[in-house]
Amino acid sequence: MTGETTGETTGGRLVPARLGPSDVLRTGMAGLRTRPARVILSALGIAIGIATMIAVLGVSASSREELLRRLDRLGTNLLTVSPGRTLFGEQAKLPEEALRMVRRIGPVRTASATGVVDTTIRRTNHIPEAVTGGIAVQAATSGLLATLEGRVTAGTWLNAATETRPAVVLGARAAERLGVTRTGVRVWMGERWFTVVGILGPMPLAPEIERSALVGFPAAADYLGFDGHPTTIYERSAEESVEAVRAVLPRTVNPENPEEVTVSRPSDALAARAAAASAFTGLLLGLGAVALLVGGVGVANTMVISVLERRREIGLRRSLGATRGQVRLQFLTESLLLSALGGLAGTVLGGLATIAYALARGWPPVVPPWAFAGAAGAALVIGTIAGLYPAMRAARLPPTAALSAT
């Protein structure tokens, strides 16, 4: 009961002694130590809510950081040119000389093209032609790998010799769907056998290449009836010139009908995916807030029960000179300490969950510093709100009624 005895003024009036911060903290902690099991269960609700919010923010931040790193590695200076629609709604075609025209643009560093070939690829000629596995056959120029900054995981890329012969390079997904894991294997294309000379690695900026079987332009024309019209042109230019190049590409590729040309930047798709992930993060944050609210209700319930169980203690303190304000402050402090305990546990759990998930996915673990501050603030706000009513109820108990309570 330290700090609750009365003092005497020069006028003879008794006044309550002041409770120092250490007295308030010690009194609040004493109330929690007497009921450890209930304290742990009540703090668990706060911890779950805080951990959820920290983990959601941490995983989202780690995902965005990984995306930024990927964009830095892949670059945002890749543009793709594809045919659009004619005025009559038909599929347009890019001119055969479109690639040469693109390469003449000053800031363009490298450009290459692919063209869809009207045929299928199958593991053997015994598989029905309709079973394509979603794999497209495309003609490709020899500079495609350099333009896309891709890599070959097995074998070699098309060169001056193989681009004229029945040789094929498989994208990562195409090889997986065909069950091809090494070079030298033959596959059935255009009523003849082609030899797999290479298998590509993943290409995040050109997922269509991952699902394609690629042959040289000359071989596609000689063996597969390719008409020579490119269907996609890939070009890279200096970062500071991307928008300028983007503006002139349609008229350069098709001077007569520039409106039939579509220009896009593949890195924009990654950025859009990040925006969609942010929207999903907002939903998960809402679920975390609900869990935190439920935890706050649990704290309030614990504090109300505590007031009912400790009426004799409250009456005794009031009889010894404690004011209503001091009783109110004691129970409010208990509520804040209970929420702070849950908030600390939740912050640690949320941080550990973020680190574990990020490392499992190969991401850099990142938790925004403001998330920790926000978690601490949320825990204190919940503790204040949850403890306000029980504290006021305890302060209103008359000493005589409290002492006579059983």
Side-chain angles (χ1 to χ4, degrees):
M1 302 302 176
T2 302
E4 296 174 7
T5 58
T6 58
E8 189 171 334
T9 65
T10 55
R13 286 191 307 109
L14 293 176
V15 295
R18 293 181 178 275
L19 286 177
S22 60
D23 296 322
V24 173
L25 184 61
R26 187 166 58 252
T27 305
M29 291 180 64
L32 297 181
R33 283 197 300 266
T34 57
R35 299 164 180 81
R38 186 181 299 171
V39 166
I40 292 174
L41 292 176
S42 299
L44 185 60
I46 298 290
I48 291 174
I50 293 295
T52 301
M53 299 181 77
I54 290 287
V56 166
L57 291 172
V59 169
S60 177
S62 300
S63 174
R64 281 195 297 270
E65 182 65 23
E66 172 63 16
L67 175 63
L68 292 176
R69 291 189 180 188
R70 287 178 63 189
L71 286 176
D72 287 340
R73 290 195 303 266
L74 300 172
T76 58
N77 61 337
L78 177 68
L79 295 177
T80 62
V81 180
S82 56
R85 295 283 179 178
T86 66
L87 292 176
F88 301 101
E90 299 175 350
Q91 182 66 48
K93 279 189 175 184
L94 296 180
E96 291 186 38
E97 64 276 8
L99 180 60
R100 292 193 297 272
M101 299 297 290
V102 171
R103 287 173 174 168
R104 293 177 184 175
I105 301 174
V108 172
R109 293 176 176 174
T110 177
S112 54
T114 60
V116 174
V117 180
D118 186 18
T119 190
T120 60
I121 178 172
R122 289 164 283 163
R123 192 67 176 80
T124 71
N125 57 341
H126 299 295
I127 297 175
E129 188 173 353
V131 182
T132 64
I135 303 172
V137 178
Q138 298 198 71
T141 58
S142 57
L144 179 66
L145 193 65
T147 302
L148 295 179
E149 297 181 359
R151 63 184 180 89
V152 178
T153 58
T156 60
W157 175 243
L158 298 171
N159 53 43
T162 55
E163 68 178 357
T164 63
R165 306 300 301 164
V168 59
V169 174
L170 301 177
R173 291 188 179 275
E176 180 182 343
R177 292 173 183 176
L178 288 170
V180 176
T181 58
R182 58 184 178 84
T183 58
V185 176
R186 294 197 306 168
V187 292
W188 187 255
M189 297 170 58
E191 302 304 320
R192 66 171 299 145
W193 293 103
F194 276 65
T195 302
V196 176
V197 297
I199 299 175
L200 300 179
M203 291 190 176
L205 290 183
E208 65 279 3
I209 299 299
E210 296 181 0
R211 301 185 296 269
S212 297
L214 306 167
V215 298
F217 261 63
D222 293 342
Y223 301 111
L224 302 175
F226 178 53
D227 62 6
H229 288 272
T231 50
T232 305
I233 297 175
Y234 303 88
E235 72 82 27
R236 283 190 187 268
S237 54
E239 292 281 356
E240 62 274 10
S241 305
V242 171
E243 292 303 324
V245 172
R246 187 173 190 166
V248 301
L249 274 174
R251 192 164 294 279
T252 301
V253 171
N254 192 346
E256 294 183 358
N257 301 292
E259 69 281 355
E260 296 180 1
V261 178
T262 301
V263 180
S264 60
R265 183 158 58 173
S267 59
D268 291 343
L270 292 178
R273 204 165 69 193
S278 297
F280 189 60
T281 298
L283 174 62
L284 293 179
L285 276 178
L287 295 177
V290 171
L292 187 58
L293 179 61
V294 172
V297 172
V299 171
N301 183 60
T302 297
M303 295 308 300
V304 169
I305 295 175
S306 179
V307 170
L308 295 176
E309 291 179 344
R310 296 160 64 187
R311 284 179 293 178
R312 293 179 62 86
E313 175 193 333
I314 296 169
L316 181 59
R317 292 196 59 199
R318 291 294 309 279
S319 299
L320 292 175
T323 65
R324 288 186 175 183
Q326 290 171 345
V327 173
R328 189 162 47 240
L329 183 59
Q330 174 195 351
F331 281 89
L332 192 57
T333 300
E334 288 186 24
S335 177
L336 287 172
L337 288 174
L338 185 55
S339 297
L341 178 64
L344 178 62
T347 300
V348 173
L349 289 175
L352 292 176
T354 298
I355 293 173
Y357 186 83
L359 292 179
R361 297 293 300 271
W363 297 348
V366 177
V367 179
W370 59 265
F372 293 112
L380 293 178
V381 168
I382 288 294
T384 301
I385 296 175
L388 197 57
Y389 170 72
M392 294 176 63
R393 179 169 180 171
R396 286 199 301 265
L397 282 176
T400 54
L403 283 171
S404 62
T406 58

